[in-house]
């Protein structure tokens, strides 16, 4: 019996030693268990993150409608919803207020941790893994399983749309991609009658096209039931000279005299337009189909876009800073943060130190 007892003790010792060896070789020392002070510090924030709430899931589904399971599309839409619809509000003096997702939605605002809690909750509700990141002075989120290169396309499209909206030039337009260029496209279709011996103008005031646009391309197709003169001019000033019978400037390559049809394209650097002159004594029925393509200076507008992500457990986790402003984007990373960046798994409470 003594022999077998000795064998048993040796086996137990070997199992213990083997277990210790396995742990030493497989434990990720960048992670700490939930008793880590950083995890304890994060507890008041992560306990407000919602994981399984049908109302929040339905709401997030409505925000990401049209994404059809496209993670990058979902991430961009949720981020844009938050930065476009919620205001930044600081906590009251001397008090650290922490809001639930529904409180932030109710008052339509909050501070950095409130936005992070809201976005993390929305992403968790549709099955996307998140982390909460704490620094010495700031809080933001991470959303994982995202392809940064694919996300870039959605980010750039949204930013260009935002620039277009802010330039008051997006009332009837939408973004189109053509030959690796991005345009704001306006469609104009109308029918009207041009009186005898009269002129007609459709277009802008003639001011120079400025950032975010480079030029405007007029793609036009017009038909006339009687011959007219058709011109593309740089603006109302040149049109008014035409209307007054004075000498005026036109784009000769885009001019059709005594024509029943005008079809072509003309690229100009002014908010110009088309002019029609009916020199006859009869009214003329006009049918106009015209698209105006305003070319974005996208290289300039998007030169600073840089999607920042971290690799955690083999997945790309993209930064989500809800306080980055209306021209912020998922992946925008504040450059002025000081101190360590600690990412906390809101479910396991494990932490990862970010470089």
């Amino acid at each position: 019996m003594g022999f077998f007892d000795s064998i048993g003790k040796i086996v137990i010792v070997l199992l213990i030693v083997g277990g210790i060896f396995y742990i030493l070789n497989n434990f990720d020392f960048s992670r700490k268990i939930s008793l880590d002070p950083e995890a304890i510090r994060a507890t008041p924030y992560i306990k407000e993150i919602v994981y399984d709430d049908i109302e929040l899931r339905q709401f997030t589904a409505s925000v990401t409608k049209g994404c059809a399971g496209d993670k990058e599309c979902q991430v961009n839409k949720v981020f844009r919803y938050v930065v476009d619809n919620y205001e930044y509000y600081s906590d009251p003096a001397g008090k650290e207020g922490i809001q639930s997702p529904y409180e932030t939605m109710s008052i339509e605002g909050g501070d950095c941790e409130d936005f992070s809690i809201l976005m993390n909750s929305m992403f968790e509700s549709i099955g996307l893994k998140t982390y909460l990141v704490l620094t010495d002075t700031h809080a933001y989120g991470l959303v994982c399983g995202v392809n940064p290169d694919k996300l870039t396309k959605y980010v750039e499209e949204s930013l260009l749309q935002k620039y277009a909206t802010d330039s008051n030039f997006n009332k009837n337009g939408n973004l189109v991609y053509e030959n690796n260029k991005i345009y704001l496209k306006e469609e104009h279709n109308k029918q009207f009658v041009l009186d005898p011996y009269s002129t007609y103008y459709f277009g802008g005031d003639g001011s120079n096209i400025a950032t975010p646009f480079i030029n405007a391309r007029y793609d036009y197709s017009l038909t006339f039931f009687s011959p007219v003169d058709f011109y593309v001019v740089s603006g109302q000033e040149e049109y008014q000279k035409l209307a007054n019978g004075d000498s005026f400037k036109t784009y000769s390559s885009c001019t059709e005299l005594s024509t029943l049809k005008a079809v072509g394209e003309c690229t100009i650097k002014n908010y110009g337009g088309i002019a029609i002159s009916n020199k006859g004594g009869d009214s003329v029925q006009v049918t106009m189909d015209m698209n105006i393509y305003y070319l974005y200076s996208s290289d300039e507008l998007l030169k600073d876009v840089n999607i920042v992500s971290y690799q955690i457990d083999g997945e790309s986790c993209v930064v989500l800073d809800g306080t980055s402003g209306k021209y912020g984007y998922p992946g925008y990373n504040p450059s002025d943060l000081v101190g360590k960046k600690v990412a906390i798994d809101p479910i396991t409470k494990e932490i990862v130190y970010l470089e």
Side-chain angles (χ1 to χ4, degrees):
M1 294 295 292
F3 173 77
F4 289 108
D5 287 344
S6 298
I7 293 296
K9 291 178 181 179
I10 292 173
V11 169
I12 292 173
V13 170
L14 290 174
L15 289 173
I16 293 173
V17 171
I20 294 173
F21 180 79
Y22 176 85
I23 291 172
L24 291 174
N25 279 275
N26 291 276
F27 185 71
D28 182 357
F29 284 96
S30 69
R31 293 177 174 269
K32 305 294 181 182
I33 61 175
S34 59
L35 294 180
D36 187 284
E38 295 293 349
I40 296 174
R41 173 192 170 204
T43 299
Y45 306 105
I46 60 179
K47 75 176 184 179
E48 296 294 345
I49 298 175
V50 175
Y51 306 97
D52 186 15
D53 185 298
I54 188 61
E55 291 186 15
L56 189 61
R57 178 177 173 84
Q58 290 173 338
F59 175 73
T60 306
S62 69
V63 171
T64 60
K65 185 176 181 180
C67 290
D70 184 332
K71 291 181 181 180
E72 292 74 21
C73 175
Q74 292 171 332
V75 168
N76 188 61
K77 282 199 171 185
V78 168
F79 185 90
R80 288 251 55 93
Y81 173 81
V82 172
V83 298
D84 288 342
N85 291 280
Y86 295 102
E87 298 288 338
Y88 179 86
Y89 300 126
S90 298
D91 288 330
K95 181 180 179 181
E96 174 69 349
I98 304 174
Q99 298 172 183
S100 71
Y102 284 110
E103 288 173 327
T104 300
M105 293 164 65
S106 176
I107 67 173
E108 298 183 347
D111 60 9
C112 58
E113 68 266 14
D114 300 323
F115 292 145
S116 300
I117 290 168
L118 172 59
M119 284 194 284
N120 281 26
S121 297
M122 292 178 72
F123 287 128
E124 292 282 352
S125 76
I126 57 173
L128 298 185
K129 174 64 184 170
T130 68
Y131 286 83
L132 177 70
V133 180
L134 297 179
T135 73
D136 291 349
T137 59
H138 194 45
Y140 56 92
L142 299 176
V143 60
C144 300
V146 178
N147 183 330
D149 291 334
K150 185 178 178 182
L151 177 61
T152 299
K153 174 181 178 295
Y154 291 110
V155 165
E156 291 181 346
E157 182 175 326
S158 293
L159 288 176
L160 289 173
Q161 190 73 46
K162 189 69 177 175
Y163 286 121
T165 301
D166 288 351
S167 69
N168 296 319
F169 231 75
N170 194 34
K171 295 179 180 178
N172 302 304
N174 50 74
L175 291 180
V176 297
Y177 295 85
E178 181 182 283
N179 299 325
N180 296 320
K181 296 180 180 179
I182 303 174
Y183 297 87
L184 177 67
K185 177 184 177 182
E186 288 187 349
E187 298 183 10
H188 302 282
N189 310 103
K190 61 194 308 184
Q191 293 183 338
F192 58 94
V193 174
L194 187 60
D195 293 333
Y197 306 109
S198 65
T199 57
Y200 170 83
Y201 176 73
F202 180 88
D205 61 5
S207 58
N208 293 329
I209 290 177
T211 302
F213 305 109
I214 298 175
N215 57 43
R217 189 184 82 222
Y218 289 75
D219 285 6
Y220 53 85
S221 176
L222 295 92
T223 57
F224 316 103
F225 281 79
S226 296
V228 299
D229 293 340
F230 171 86
Y231 308 94
V232 175
V233 295
S234 61
Q236 287 179 326
E237 182 177 351
E238 295 305 317
Y239 162 70
Q240 197 59 53
K241 294 177 182 177
L242 165 67
N244 294 338
D246 300 328
S247 177
F248 67 98
K249 295 179 181 179
T250 181
Y251 296 90
S252 58
S253 61
C254 309
T255 297
E256 300 284 350
L257 300 180
S258 189
T259 183
L260 295 174
K261 192 169 188 177
V263 179
E265 67 176 48
C266 202
T267 299
I268 64 178
K269 293 186 176 182
N270 302 82
Y271 291 118
I274 62 169
I276 305 171
S277 174
N278 179 12
K279 296 180 178 179
D282 297 323
S283 298
V284 177
Q285 180 74 32
V286 179
T287 300
M288 181 179 78
D289 297 303
M290 183 168 64
N291 296 324
I292 306 176
Y293 295 86
Y294 295 96
L295 175 61
Y296 277 101
S297 176
S298 55
D299 290 343
E300 178 66 23
L301 292 175
L302 303 175
K303 65 180 180 180
D304 296 325
V305 173
N306 179 33
I307 306 296
V308 175
S309 64
Y310 296 91
Q311 288 293 315
I312 303 178
D313 291 337
E315 290 189 321
S316 292
C317 300
V318 171
V319 171
L320 299 167
D321 185 358
T323 65
S324 55
K326 64 179 181 178
Y327 295 120
Y329 51 87
Y332 174 85
N333 194 37
S335 60
D336 58 348
L337 297 179
V338 296
K340 58 190 174 183
K341 302 174 184 178
V342 183
I344 303 95
D345 185 323
I347 297 177
T348 67
K349 311 303 188 294
E350 289 184 318
I351 70 170
V352 178
Y353 289 102
L354 305 178
E355 296 181 359

